[in-house]
Amino acid sequence: MIPVIAIHGGAGTITRADLSAETERDYHAALDRVLQGGQRVLEQGGDALDAVTEAVFRLEECPLFNAGKGAVFTHAGTHELDASIMDGRTLGAGAVACVKTLRNPILAARRVMEDGRHVLLVGEGAEAFARAAGLETVPNDYYFTEARYVQWRRALAEGRAGLLDHDAQALAAQPEPIDADTKMGTVGAVALDARGNLAAATSTGGVTDKRAGRVGDSPLIGAGCYANNRTVAVSCTGSGETFIRLLAAHDVSALMEYRGLPLAEACDRVVMEKLPAIGGRGGLIAVDAQGSVHMPFNTEGMYRGSARAGGSRLTAIYRNAKDEGRG
Ligand code: ASP
């Protein structure tokens, strides 16, 4: 079994017209650094769980992505973060939602899983749990970035609540008001290790200008994150409410387990057919128990990448794979 990791940094209206060559290079470089971290864990014989934790930790630390530092703004002008992790070997899972002071929500989700008593902790209870576990806390304005602030002000001015991060980014870049349906930036990772174990992790600031207290698909096991050694590990990004209604991540696993669909067919059924049928936009990354990787999306672009242990690292942004970077 050759270990493999795949990552995403969100889907949405990501077009060449909106990204300067320099920004595009920054994204490729950031994705490559993240992949490298996860790949190294796997090459050193580490668990899939540690590889996805490392990758999502790095994505949270990178202000380019809507998770940890760089999280989007709520309607109230604050930041509320969600994260989850799942171990395909045991079906153990942990998640936190609506946290406002944890530097790395993914580490809190992992602690919740390891603690084993609960699966999902929210708000102040989640923060108290993480503090007691010794995790780092930050003031809410730690997550601030100028780019997300501009996105939010623009969304506010146009009355566009609940925008996907990269959609809001495109909106902020437009000189004139644009139509309502353009633009998303959650992060995630899936991995298979040398022992055949699968794991998935997802982390987000949610959608721009969301209502305070809104929870998306990212911290909900089965919706934005799922892993089962028998089938697949999945991490999603997109319009969270539709992923929740479809239980999108688990649906991929169910199509494989109950219908016997191969990985790519199961993923495409969910992303290209079932989600659009209810107005769902976004994508997912998935790795199956044999190490196949599939990363479909129904938007213009999705920040993504994958790497096998000992292999080269591939990063991509747009639909056309010509933009691929190699590390
Ligand atoms: N799925 C995330 C949410 O709804 C947003 C995203 O993927 O950008 O919170």
Side-chain angles (χ1 to χ4, degrees), residues 66 164-165 184-186 204 206-207 214 216-218 237-241:
N66 168 26
L164 287 167
D165 176 42
M184 315 175 203
T186 293
T204 191
V207 288
R214 178 265 188 188
D217 60 316
S218 308
T237 171
S239 48
E241 282 69 11

Side-chain angles (χ1 to χ4, degrees), residues 4 27 37 39 48 54 61 63 74 136 144 158 200 218-219 226 238 266 302 320:
V4 60
Y27 273 106
Q39 187 186 34
E54 176 65 21
E61 289 290 295
T74 66
E136 186 175 346
F144 175 93
E158 296 200 6
S218 308
Y226 190 73
M302 181 169 79
N320 181 346

Side-chain angles (χ1 to χ4, degrees), residues 189-243:
V190 292
L192 171 74
D193 66 29
R195 290 165 291 285
N197 293 315
L198 290 168
T202 306
S203 181
T204 191
V207 288
T208 295
D209 205 37
K210 66 185 180 181
R211 275 184 206 276
R214 178 265 188 188
V215 173
D217 60 316
S218 308
L220 301 183
I221 299 300
C225 179
Y226 190 73
N228 182 341
N229 273 11
R230 292 163 60 91
T231 51
V232 67
V234 179
S235 172
C236 301
T237 171
S239 48
E241 282 69 11
T242 56
F243 284 71

